[in-house]
Amino acid sequence: MLSLIYFVRSFGMKHKITIQTDNGEEFGGKSVNKLEYLNREIFGPLNSELVHIPPGKKEYNAFVERSHQTDDNEFYIPQIERCESKEEFFWRLLRWQWIYNRKRVHSTIGMTPYEKLCKYSKLPEEVCLFPVI
């Protein structure tokens, strides 16, 4: 998460960044103190915030699961066996990331993620190329 925040900030984004996660222990879990600590000491200084899926809104996680299904169906299943090396896999993954964020219209938002992001802050297209790790 921090790598992503630093990456986006390197393009000049100044707006507050909010990252929403499930209620897993690695993200503070049920501990209000841990979540407050993470926001005060880690995310706050970066003008960022970590929030959990609100109680009673389990459908929010459906958006995450749906994006995983898209990755599986449109990238992993058709591409993985074509890769002859780890390097080729990373190049194909970087290309998929570009298509997913810059070229592929997402039905839930009616535009690409890049177009949605630019409604808040005009950023260069290269922001769609977060390094593959």
Side-chain angles (χ1 to χ4, degrees):
M1 286 186 253
L2 295 178
S3 295
L4 180 62
I5 292 168
Y6 285 122
F7 181 76
V8 173
R9 293 278 187 238
S10 76
F11 290 97
M13 178 181 237
K14 302 209 184 308
H15 293 284
K16 184 175 187 177
I17 297 172
T18 301
I19 297 174
Q20 183 172 290
T21 67
D22 62 16
N23 296 313
E25 289 303 315
E26 67 276 24
F27 307 120
K30 294 180 174 92
S31 171
V32 174
N33 290 338
K34 187 173 182 182
L35 184 59
E36 287 175 355
Y37 169 82
L38 290 169
N39 279 315
R40 182 180 64 252
E41 301 295 326
I42 309 295
F43 294 99
L46 299 173
N47 191 24
S48 300
E49 177 184 29
L50 178 64
V51 299
H52 290 154
I53 293 172
K57 297 289 185 180
K58 292 184 180 182
E59 69 273 11
Y60 283 31
N61 201 45
F63 297 117
V64 173
E65 296 304 327
R66 180 62 181 94
S67 74
H68 290 187
Q69 181 183 6
T70 299
D71 289 339
D72 288 345
N73 292 339
E74 296 182 29
F75 175 71
Y76 291 110
I77 293 170
Q79 297 294 326
I80 196 83
E81 290 185 358
R82 296 179 180 167
C83 297
E84 295 184 18
S85 67
K86 182 172 54 174
E87 291 77 17
E88 182 180 355
F89 172 75
F90 285 137
W91 280 111
R92 287 179 184 258
L93 187 54
L94 193 61
R95 185 179 64 200
W96 166 244
Q97 185 173 267
W98 175 261
I99 291 167
Y100 186 87
N101 288 316
R102 184 65 188 102
K103 302 293 181 185
R104 188 182 183 283
V105 173
H106 294 237
S107 60
T108 56
I109 59 175
M111 61 187 77
T112 69
Y114 175 72
E115 291 168 333
K116 178 78 170 179
L117 180 63
C118 285
K119 286 182 166 255
Y120 305 100
S121 183
K122 182 62 178 155
L123 299 170
E125 290 181 321
E126 290 80 13
V127 77
C128 297
L129 295 173
F130 181 73
V132 176
I133 355 182

